[in-house]
Amino acid sequence: MTETPDLDNNPTVARIRAWRPGAISHLISFRGELTLVLPSEHLRPLCEFLAGDPDLAFTFLSSITGIDRFPIEPRFELNYNLLSMSRRESLCLRVRLPGESPVIESVIPVWPTANWHEREIFDLFGMRFEGHPDLRRMLLPDDWEGHPLRKDYSVEGPR
């Protein structure tokens, strides 16, 4: 993963920085994919901007991936993979969350398909999404203790 000066000239990056200069904390280019690392408080406003700006048109959320980086802090990471079909361009947004309080604002108002992604991440990692209309387990029974994709989860299950 490298940060290169020519990424600053990327039209998407330039448009975002013109809109809100502090929205991007770091740029990563790896195998042709552009990743924007963001402070968590900028995620929802940036998503609204990316989806609503007709010149960018990132109207499709293809996935949200949760990652546990234990024992590194900030412990949790979320990667939002977006697609602008009209521009044939993909973009990844990366946000890191602390282990003590892994909470971030839901992006369901921007992309309703985030509902299932956020519920799955909540169920398996325990990350919470503020403003989610129905944040409850979807893969494990309601009485299940813990979150099995956390790296500190017992391989023998709850005791």
Side-chain angles (χ1 to χ4, degrees):
M1 294 185 292
T2 59
E3 182 170 353
T4 56
D6 64 330
L7 291 179
D8 289 324
N9 297 323
N10 177 291
T12 301
V13 172
R15 190 148 180 98
I16 292 168
R17 287 197 166 143
W19 167 72
R20 185 172 291 172
I24 302 170
S25 62
H26 192 69
L27 299 171
I28 300 169
S29 178
F30 184 69
R31 295 189 177 186
E33 180 178 84
L34 177 61
T35 299
L36 311 180
V37 182
L38 320 171
S40 61
E41 64 271 13
H42 290 290
L43 177 68
R44 171 82 172 272
L46 180 58
C47 290
E48 291 169 348
F49 176 72
L50 291 170
D53 186 309
D55 293 331
L56 295 176
F58 284 97
T59 57
F60 186 74
L61 171 69
S62 60
S63 68
I64 306 173
T65 305
I67 299 167
D68 183 356
R69 302 163 7 114
F70 181 81
I72 299 168
E73 213 29 79
R75 177 177 177 172
F76 296 106
E77 181 175 291
L78 291 166
N79 290 296
Y80 294 75
N81 294 294
L82 312 178
L83 179 63
S84 173
M85 290 185 266
S86 61
R87 296 176 60 223
R88 296 183 180 169
E89 186 178 333
S90 64
L91 181 66
C92 180
L93 305 179
R94 179 175 296 169
V95 179
R96 294 191 173 120
L97 302 173
E100 276 189 32
S101 178
V103 178
I104 194 157
E105 197 171 359
S106 174
V107 296
I108 290 174
V110 182
W111 300 292
T113 190
N115 187 338
W116 292 95
H117 299 289
E118 291 177 357
R119 282 185 61 193
E120 181 180 35
I121 291 166
F122 164 72
D123 195 3
L124 300 175
F125 288 98
M127 291 182 235
R128 301 193 65 78
F129 296 87
E130 285 183 344
H132 191 288
D134 188 22
L135 195 61
R136 60 187 165 95
R137 293 201 181 264
M138 66 181 286
L139 299 173
L140 299 169
D142 290 336
D143 61 347
W144 191 273
E145 292 181 23
H147 304 281
L149 289 186
R150 286 189 174 196
K151 289 187 178 177
D152 58 355
Y153 186 78
S154 171
V155 293
E156 293 147 6
R159 294 175 176 243

